[in-house]
Amino acid sequence: MKILSAKTHGIIDYLFIIFVFASPTLFNMEGMLSTITYGLAAVHLLVTLTTDFELGLVKLIPFRIHGLLEIVVSLSLAILAVWFYNNGYESGFNYYIALAVVIMIVFILTDFKSLPNKS
């Protein structure tokens, strides 16, 4: 069931970005875990700002491509979570597996055909 419109998806993206940017402070992340988290937030902000939907600023990336990027990011975060686990970063595993799940759920619930008509 596709219950999220493009606008709602954009709002969720910006809230997600704020959360991820705040996470190193909220969860006392240090070193590589903190650096990767800030990098993820920056990349997600760049993609969201350049997506062609109501809340995009520059509108370069089609909304459907934005969705495909989210699948790739979700799978990449799950792989990163396993890497953290295998290298003794249990908090990194828990954090990144949770982010991967959240991104996948938002992807599944989003109607990528919900953009308003451009006139």
Side-chain angles (χ1 to χ4, degrees):
M1 178 181 350
K2 306 289 185 178
I3 61 173
L4 300 177
S5 68
K7 185 174 184 177
T8 302
H9 183 105
I11 291 167
I12 291 169
D13 273 356
Y14 285 113
L15 292 172
F16 177 84
I17 291 161
I18 291 167
F19 172 77
V20 174
F21 265 126
S23 290
T25 301
L26 292 172
F27 302 115
N28 298 316
M29 294 178 182
E30 296 178 349
M32 180 176 42
L33 181 57
S34 176
T35 301
I36 291 171
T37 302
Y38 284 128
L40 171 65
V43 168
H44 204 95
L45 177 61
L46 180 65
V47 169
T48 302
L49 287 172
T50 58
T51 295
D52 186 8
F53 68 156
E54 294 163 296
L55 299 179
L57 186 63
V58 180
K59 302 183 187 316
L60 296 173
I61 301 170
F63 188 47
R64 288 185 181 185
I65 300 300
H66 175 108
L68 293 176
L69 289 172
E70 286 188 346
I71 293 173
V72 171
V73 168
S74 180
L75 296 174
S76 298
L77 293 180
I79 292 167
L80 182 60
V82 171
W83 183 89
F84 277 123
Y85 181 81
N86 289 334
N87 287 282
Y89 294 93
E90 186 176 337
S91 62
F93 170 79
N94 294 333
Y95 179 78
Y96 277 97
I97 206 71
L99 290 186
V101 169
V102 167
I103 291 172
M104 188 57 73
I105 289 170
V106 171
F107 169 81
I108 290 167
L109 295 177
T110 298
D111 180 1
F112 287 95
K113 299 176 186 175
S114 66
L115 289 173
N117 292 332
K118 293 182 180 181
S119 303

